[in-house]
Amino acid sequence: MPSTPHDRRYDHVVQRRLALGAEAVGAVRSLLVELDPTATGDDLQIVAAELIGNAFRHGRPFEDGTVALRVAWGATGTRIDVTDAGSGAVPALVDTPPDREGRRGLAMIDRLASAWGYRSEKTTSFWAELGSTAPRAGTTGVLATCRRMLSDEVSPPLDVLLDTVATGMVWPLVEYRTRGVEHLEIRAGAGAGAPTPADRAALDGACRAALDSSETAVVPVSGHVATAMTVVHGGHVIGILGVVCPEAEAAAAVELLLWISGLIAPVLGREETRQTEDFLVAQLAFLARASEVLASSLDYDSTLEQVARLLVPERADWCTINLINEDGSIRRVAAEHARPDRRGRLLELLDEHPHDPDADTGVPLVIRTGEPRLYPEVSDDLLKATANDPEYLEITRDLAIRSCIIVPLETRGQVLGTISLVSTDLERFRYGESDLAMARDLARRAALAIDNARIHTSRSRVAQALQESLLPAELPEIPGVDVAVRYQPASSRARMGGDFYDIVGADDGSWYVVIGDVQGKGIEAATLIGLARHTLRTAALQRASPAAALEMLNTALHASSQDRSCTAICARLVPTDRTWAMTIARAGHVEPILLQAGGSCTIVSRGLVLGLFSDPMVEERTIGLSAGQSVVLLTDGAIGVEGDAEARLRSALEAASTASAQEIAAGVPRAHDVDDDLAVVVLQPVSAPKNGAG
């Protein structure tokens, strides 16, 4: 590369040939670090990189694939020349923003260099000079500083970058952050001082206008102008930049924003992506925890209290949950505050000013319309509009309601109540659309849990009432025989069980004792129990034998249009001169047990399950029953499927062989491995019969 007339102004000159490629920019940076020129080193690296980058993008290398680099420096500054085998065409400095699509890289040189130019003969040379007094303030200095910061291996926090810009320009600079399509957050450059209220209002208007139009917006204010433009990354708006500056510097402000937008878009985009991902993960994790709470209990009042405690303080500063009573009034179920010392004030508001169901604001409005309400900012005017008296307004002001969400608890087209989330600090929670979406998702899950719990409770009550109606309210007294009955429903009462029992007196002085277990649960079981009791009562009134009574029931089951089955025991107790004669017939049921003082024995009687075969082959066995003995009839809630269940039952009964009928019934253990109803009937003669049966 030939010397230039400018070389005499410099003390040192170094020339290199660099292979023109992506590595050329790094090579020139390494060379400058090696030379360690004393003047404006950081800006020099930026300018050199831009010159090489320009040659890489738009130039033509020599035959050996290289370009020529010359660096000259001295007391007056530094000069860089980059020469390639260009075509002789003279490129122009383009008008497109230098950090946007279509850039040529020359605009940055124009901002940083004290002089620059090009020569085009057989070759093309671009050169730039940086004087030893290159400006550090203003647009040039600020951009150079930002470039240096962003060229580090670890990018600076965005706040630091914005503060650098604000400090260098001595203008209030604001970044409006967006999260999805939500609210705007103002973050002012700390180094510039806070904008005046008028500046703030103008800047707010400019930023919102830029967001709406996606174009640069300018709003005049008291000899100044507020200028704003959007920051775009990945094809969508991720932020807005705005400055307030003197009117004479408006053009420079627009140029500055173009540059800074290009610089921070990748940084802001990465931060936006990370925050969005973190936000979504946090939302899903929170909803998962809430779902666990909602599934933990069928007591929805206590469950909703746990949900409120989960929301506060993680998602709200305070929270209330309300449900609608059957009469249409609104009942508070839960109220939590992040500050225990403020919870009393919250309860004062809720207790002394209950919701009016006919009100057209807040919770009543959401209940009536089923539409959620989002208040990103709650103004004092809004508090006044919703206050029904001065005391209410005073308390709401004291509770510092700054942002609020009210969502309906709605399921199957019915609104059950509301969940209200309140923020007392906009820096902590300023609710937006994604917060509303989370709250609505939570409310749907909670409403479904409430509805399921109510259905379960309702079914349990119906089942219990139906079960009670199908079991005898009172058992008749058998003269000379103590009778004890125990009925214990299964722990899960969503559906009614199938155990039943009955005692019927015949007109000849005999007594029929029945115990059984029908197929199925719920209404199906109820119809079978009704059929079984009615049939066996009819057989007793006809003084049929126990086996004949079970066969009559088998015939009735076969006559039904549905597949139905039943296990049962029917025993006829007949008084004789000194003892009771007990005839027992069993059809697939748990064996009856005869207890005697000092031991027990099993009464063996064979018979198949009723309803499955036309001939159940029921056999009878008659025993004598006198004082000191007890007969225990029970269902399989005492047996289960455990191998040692029967042994445990026998052991318990043998230990109670001398106890009263009530004590024996109470001492029958439940099986541990099944959740089934348990019915027990104990017959215990206490004296000889007074009259024989006819």
Side-chain angles (χ1 to χ4, degrees):
M1 179 185 293
S3 62
T4 69
H6 304 282
D7 288 350
R8 64 179 180 269
R9 296 193 289 116
Y10 301 101
D11 301 323
H12 310 280
V13 176
V14 173
Q15 299 183 94
R16 292 283 193 277
R17 297 295 288 265
L18 299 176
L20 187 57
E23 297 81 6
V25 173
V28 73
R29 288 183 180 274
S30 299
L31 174 62
L32 293 175
V33 171
E34 176 185 342
L35 297 176
D36 192 23
T38 58
T40 60
D42 291 331
D43 290 351
L44 180 64
Q45 291 189 39
I46 295 173
V47 170
E50 292 294 325
L51 287 172
I52 290 292
N54 182 68
F56 175 65
R57 289 187 294 272
H58 308 293
R60 183 164 61 90
F62 296 111
E63 291 182 358
D64 61 356
T66 65
V67 294
L69 171 70
R70 175 196 296 269
V71 181
W73 72 95
T76 60
T78 306
R79 176 187 171 100
I80 300 176
D81 290 77
V82 175
T83 302
D84 62 33
S87 62
V90 179
L93 176 62
V94 296
D95 294 329
T96 55
D99 274 74
R100 302 224 174 165
E101 185 178 358
R103 67 191 177 108
R104 293 183 65 104
L106 301 178
M108 173 60 86
I109 299 172
D110 186 53
R111 300 299 179 268
L112 295 182
S114 54
W116 71 279
Y118 54 85
R119 298 189 312 275
S120 182
E121 297 173 356
K122 292 183 178 180
T123 60
T124 299
S125 294
F126 281 87
W127 60 270
E129 290 184 346
L130 285 81
S132 58
T133 58
R136 288 294 183 177
T139 305
T140 300
V142 168
L143 292 178
T145 301
C146 291
R147 280 281 191 174
R148 287 195 299 271
M149 295 171 69
L150 291 170
S151 67
D152 293 339
E153 291 184 3
V154 180
S155 297
L158 193 56
D159 289 343
V160 174
L161 187 66
L162 293 173
D163 289 346
T164 300
V165 176
T167 304
M169 298 310 303
V170 200
W171 297 336
L173 182 143
V174 170
E175 177 216 8
Y176 272 60
R177 291 295 309 284
T178 66
R179 190 170 69 193
V181 293
E182 295 182 24
H183 55 273
L184 300 175
E185 292 181 2
I186 297 176
R187 296 203 305 186
T196 66
D199 290 342
R200 173 80 69 171
L203 192 57
D204 180 82
C207 287
R208 293 184 185 277
L211 182 64
D212 292 338
S213 65
S214 298
E215 297 179 355
T216 302
V218 179
V219 176
V221 52
S222 304
H224 292 69
V225 290
T227 305
M229 68 175 56
T230 57
V231 180
V232 179
H233 184 76
H236 66 280
V237 175
I238 58 174
I240 304 176
L241 283 171
V243 296
V244 177
C245 66
E247 189 173 356
E249 301 181 44
V254 172
E255 187 177 43
L256 172 71
L257 294 181
L258 282 170
W259 274 93
I260 299 302
S261 174
L263 287 172
I264 72 171
V267 179
L268 190 56
R270 289 192 297 271
E271 183 177 333
E272 182 77 10
T273 300
R274 180 186 58 78
Q275 289 185 349
T276 300
E277 291 174 350
D278 291 347
F279 180 78
L280 292 176
V281 170
Q283 296 283 63
L284 292 174
F286 175 81
L287 290 172
R289 295 199 306 275
S291 296
E292 290 180 2
V293 170
L294 291 169
S296 64
S297 172
L298 289 172
D299 183 352
Y300 54 83
D301 276 20
S302 63
T303 298
L304 292 177
E305 290 176 357
Q306 294 183 58
V307 170
R309 286 192 289 270
L310 190 64
L311 286 164
V312 177
E314 184 172 342
R315 300 284 163 169
D317 292 317
W318 57 269
C319 165
T320 61
I321 301 179
N322 297 278
L323 294 179
I324 307 173
N325 293 322
E326 292 182 0
D327 61 0
S329 60
I330 300 173
R331 173 173 66 95
R332 182 185 81 243
V333 178
E336 289 294 330
H337 201 293
R339 291 177 51 185
D341 60 319
R342 304 300 294 159
R343 189 170 186 272
R345 191 65 163 160
L346 173 60
L347 295 178
E348 179 184 354
L349 172 70
L350 301 174
D351 291 339
E352 298 186 7
H353 301 275
H355 293 293
D356 178 4
D358 298 325
D360 58 358
T361 59
V363 169
L365 178 63
V366 172
I367 288 176
R368 192 162 53 254
T369 64
E371 295 296 327
R373 305 291 292 180
L374 168 63
Y375 304 95
E377 289 188 34
V378 178
S379 64
D380 193 63
D381 289 340
L382 180 59
L383 293 179
K384 290 178 181 178
T386 57
N388 50 23
D389 59 55
E391 182 184 4
Y392 182 91
L393 178 60
E394 178 187 352
I395 298 176
T396 55
R397 284 172 170 169
D398 189 32
L399 287 171
I401 304 174
R402 298 289 180 261
S403 187
C404 180
I405 292 175
I406 307 174
V407 290
L409 291 163
E410 184 176 9
T411 183
R412 298 184 178 94
Q414 180 183 9
V415 177
L416 309 178
T418 61
I419 297 178
S420 301
L421 306 180
V422 176
S423 168
T424 63
D425 182 357
L426 292 179
E427 293 296 323
R428 175 170 164 76
F429 299 114
R430 175 173 172 162
Y431 295 126
E433 293 295 334
S434 64
D435 301 296
L436 177 61
M438 181 279 299
R440 296 190 71 174
D441 194 339
L442 173 63
R444 282 191 291 267
R445 299 179 190 214
L448 184 60
I450 294 170
D451 196 43
N452 288 339
R454 285 181 171 180
I455 291 174
H456 179 276
T457 300
S458 176
R459 288 178 177 175
S460 296
R461 290 173 179 171
V462 170
Q464 183 178 0
L466 187 57
Q467 184 87 57
E468 291 174 353
S469 69
L470 293 173
L471 296 176
E474 292 185 5
L475 291 175
E477 294 184 2
I478 301 177
V481 178
D482 276 354
V483 179
V485 173
R486 172 186 168 195
Y487 178 78
Q488 187 173 352
S491 59
S492 174
R493 297 302 296 159
R495 295 186 298 170
M496 195 192 85
D499 291 1
F500 68 94
Y501 58 88
D502 202 357
I503 296 179
V504 181
D507 56 7
D508 63 350
S510 63
W511 296 88
Y512 288 80
V513 182
V514 174
I515 190 169
D517 187 358
V518 301
Q519 173 190 5
K521 301 289 182 182
I523 301 301
E524 178 185 85
T527 59
L528 279 181
I529 290 174
L531 174 64
R533 287 192 62 203
H534 174 76
T535 301
L536 294 176
R537 274 183 168 268
T538 300
L541 294 176
Q542 295 176 358
R543 291 189 286 180
S545 68
L550 293 181
E551 289 169 356
M552 289 175 62
L553 176 55
N554 186 68
T555 301
L557 291 173
H558 268 283
S560 173
S561 60
Q562 299 179 1
D563 292 335
R564 297 178 173 185
S565 63
C566 172
T567 67
I569 290 176
C570 181
R572 185 181 185 221
L573 198 61
V574 179
T576 63
D577 291 339
R578 293 181 300 275
T579 62
W580 293 86
M582 189 172 188
T583 302
I584 300 174
R586 181 172 70 93
H589 199 75
V590 179
E591 296 176 342
I593 296 177
L594 174 64
L595 287 181
Q596 321 188 57
S600 66
C601 68
T602 298
I603 301 174
V604 179
S605 54
R606 188 168 63 90
L608 301 177
V609 174
L610 303 175
L612 298 181
F613 306 97
S614 58
D615 182 6
M617 296 183 294
V618 179
E619 295 182 355
E620 293 181 343
R621 180 174 178 179
T622 302
I623 62 172
L625 192 61
S626 58
Q629 296 177 317
S630 301
V631 172
V632 181
L633 310 177
L634 41 78
T635 58
D636 55 9
I639 300 298
V641 296
E642 293 178 334
D644 62 344
E646 185 173 349
R648 187 171 62 252
L649 172 64
R650 290 178 178 275
S651 176
L653 291 177
E654 289 173 359
S657 60
T658 59
S660 66
Q662 287 76 15
E663 291 170 337
I664 293 172
V668 172
R670 294 198 64 160
H672 299 311
D673 61 338
V674 294
D675 184 21
D676 200 359
D677 299 342
L678 172 64
V680 180
V681 177
V682 179
L683 305 173
Q684 187 180 77
V686 292
S687 63
K690 295 182 179 180
N691 298 299

